[in-house]
Amino acid sequence: MRRFPVRRLSDCHSVDDFRELARAKLPAPVFHYIDGAADDEVTRNRNTAAYEDCDLVPNVLAGVADIDMSTTLMGRKIDMPLFLSPTALQRLFHWRGEKAVGAAAQTFNTFFGISSLATVSLAEIGASIASPKLFQLYVHKDKGLNAALIQAAKAANFDALALTVDTIVSGKRERCLHTGFTSPPRLTSSSALSFAMHPRWTLNYLGRERFSLPNLEGHIAAGSNAAISVADYFNTMLDQSMDWAMAEDIRKAWDGPFCLKGIMSVEDARRAVAIGATAIMVSNHGGRQLDGSRAPFDQLAEIVDAVGDRIEVICDGGITRGTHVLKALSVGAKACSGGRLYLYALAAGGQRGVERTLANLRGEIERGMKLMGVTRLDQLGRANLRWRD
């Protein structure tokens, strides 16, 4: 139960604090788009709860004055083992959107993901952000669009490409059905009061540069000039014939560090190795797709055991604490990533909010390492964990 009110950015000491401030600052349809998930949201809640099924076992008297939490991921050294997953529509959460998130990631020298459904162009991000950048590709029915997105990411000097593989159809996001959330936002009788009660958000949305999906709008109007729900976008625009052969063709076309986002089974992890992927993100899309699926952390050990010596394994989703990161790394993940953990902060305070949540989480990782008696990430292992019955 929450004990303290959260009224300003300085009150935010955890992901849950940022969530509360985001709820206060955003119109209901926008907040529930970030916060919601598929069906009964069982998997969304399980993603975080899974970390509580095992405990950390610390060692002491290890001399931990100097801590190194850096790691190398997809060919780039990053200063912390946590990065910002690609997420769509960020200028709906704060008017600077991906520009604010990218600048915060650069401050902490960690990877920053840009979605195909980004609200800032790949070229602008490439020109302004020097730290590691990951482009996330949704495979559209329009093959010309797919090729243009890959070429734009190359031209903008992105370091890696992540192909999302778990959105063949959209999950049933019931909160969005209730609120009528679309991109761009559509004023309805049910949402009008919420927009009116959040005048700062509404003035920023109406008074700043026009909202659009600049990496897509030269090919399709949906999402920029024609309002559409995310579910309808996935179900009508994305290529449901995508298969392993197509994924391998995309890897070859990209010809650089290549990640598959949405791997949850050992069989698929082995196939990722077979097509030459650099990394996999063990992810269920934040519980927004197949409700009732397992949590990434629950699948992590068997995937690491099967392929961890041949491919970089990233644990994506459900992370709200630095100790969650330490648990995943102890199982064998190379790094962790998340979306909501920084989207709440973006909504709460723009770039300053994202920087504050990264500082909080980095501090928790460093403090946890010292309390566990480790000075480098490669000292973490399964001996540091005990699972509950």
Side-chain angles (χ1 to χ4, degrees):
M1 180 180 295
R2 178 163 300 283
R3 295 175 296 166
F4 302 103
V6 178
R7 299 189 180 95
R8 58 188 71 86
L9 207 57
S10 59
D11 294 330
C12 294
H13 305 288
S14 68
V15 172
D16 283 346
D17 288 341
F18 284 107
R19 178 178 179 271
E20 290 306 305
L21 192 53
R23 182 198 292 270
K25 290 197 169 188
L26 292 175
V30 180
F31 173 78
H32 286 296
Y33 169 72
I34 298 176
D35 199 55
D39 298 339
D40 296 315
E41 303 189 359
V42 170
T43 294
R44 180 244 194 273
N45 296 322
R46 183 180 290 160
N47 283 356
T48 297
Y51 293 101
E52 309 313 316
D53 291 336
C54 79
D55 301 319
L56 294 166
V57 180
N59 295 309
V60 297
L61 299 176
V64 293
D66 298 311
I67 293 291
D68 180 6
M69 66 173 70
S70 65
T71 189
T72 300
L73 187 69
M74 292 182 282
R76 291 294 302 269
K77 183 179 180 181
I78 54 177
D79 289 347
M80 60 189 294
L82 175 66
F83 70 92
L84 308 182
S85 296
T87 59
L89 310 180
Q90 290 181 17
R91 283 188 54 230
L92 291 183
F93 318 136
H94 183 274
W95 66 270
R96 290 192 64 232
E98 289 86 354
K99 288 183 269 192
V101 176
Q106 183 166 257
T107 298
F108 287 82
N109 189 39
T110 192
F111 258 103
F112 154 58
I114 281 279
S115 170
S116 292
L117 276 65
T119 54
V120 176
S121 74
L122 292 167
E124 184 172 357
I125 292 298
S128 60
I129 304 299
S131 53
K133 297 177 290 296
L134 172 72
F135 172 60
Q136 173 272 329
L137 177 67
Y138 284 124
V139 175
H140 291 74
K141 295 174 182 177
D142 183 339
K143 292 180 172 56
L145 172 56
N146 297 330
L149 288 170
I150 292 171
Q151 184 54 45
K154 284 184 177 182
N157 295 314
F158 274 66
D159 299 279
L161 184 145
L163 172 63
T164 292
V165 295
D166 60 359
T167 54
I168 290 297
V169 295
S170 174
K172 185 185 179 188
R173 303 179 187 184
E174 293 184 5
R175 292 205 217 181
C176 290
L177 293 174
H178 283 292
T179 65
F181 176 82
T182 60
S183 171
R186 186 165 47 203
L187 191 66
T188 67
S189 57
S190 60
S191 66
L193 179 60
S194 186
F195 287 122
M197 291 176 65
H198 296 83
R200 178 174 294 183
W201 182 93
T202 302
L203 289 172
N204 277 325
Y205 177 76
L206 295 175
R208 306 285 181 174
E209 61 185 288
R210 182 181 68 88
F211 176 86
S212 69
L213 307 181
N215 302 301
L216 303 177
E217 67 176 340
H219 294 259
I220 52 178
S224 296
N225 301 313
I228 190 171
S229 71
V230 172
D232 285 344
Y233 188 95
F234 284 179
N235 292 336
T236 60
M237 298 294 173
L238 302 190
D239 189 349
Q240 296 186 15
S241 70
M242 184 171 64
D243 58 13
W244 285 97
M246 191 179 296
E248 186 170 11
D249 287 343
I250 292 168
R251 180 195 65 76
K252 292 174 181 176
W254 172 249
D255 192 28
F258 179 73
C259 176
L260 292 180
K261 180 178 182 291
I263 298 296
M264 285 292 291
S265 72
V266 167
E267 180 182 4
D268 284 347
R270 289 181 172 136
R271 287 178 173 175
V273 172
I275 68 166
T278 309
I280 54 175
M281 294 174 74
V282 182
S283 173
N284 57 32
H285 218 92
R288 296 158 87 86
Q289 287 296 100
L290 179 64
D291 197 30
S293 64
R294 295 198 83 198
F297 183 69
D298 285 336
Q299 285 296 92
L300 190 60
E302 61 188 79
I303 289 174
V304 167
D305 289 346
V307 300
D309 59 340
R310 291 174 287 163
I311 197 169
E312 295 174 347
V313 180
I314 299 159
C315 186
D316 175 78
I319 290 166
T320 61
R321 289 290 182 186
T323 49
H324 297 165
V325 175
L326 295 178
K327 289 177 181 182
L329 298 181
S330 296
V331 171
K334 190 73 180 292
C336 296
S337 58
R340 291 186 183 93
L341 65 86
Y342 75 87
L343 289 182
Y344 295 135
L346 175 66
Q351 181 179 336
R352 288 197 307 125
V354 180
E355 288 175 350
R356 185 173 176 88
T357 200
L358 282 172
N360 287 348
L361 289 162
R362 190 188 191 284
E364 290 178 8
I365 294 169
E366 180 176 353
R367 185 180 309 109
M369 289 176 68
K370 289 184 175 183
L371 291 172
M372 290 177 66
V374 298
T375 59
R376 304 188 315 272
L377 299 180
D378 61 7
Q379 294 172 337
L380 292 165
R382 295 186 193 177
N384 296 113
L385 299 176
R386 293 293 184 275
W387 268 264
R388 298 182 181 183
D389 294 331

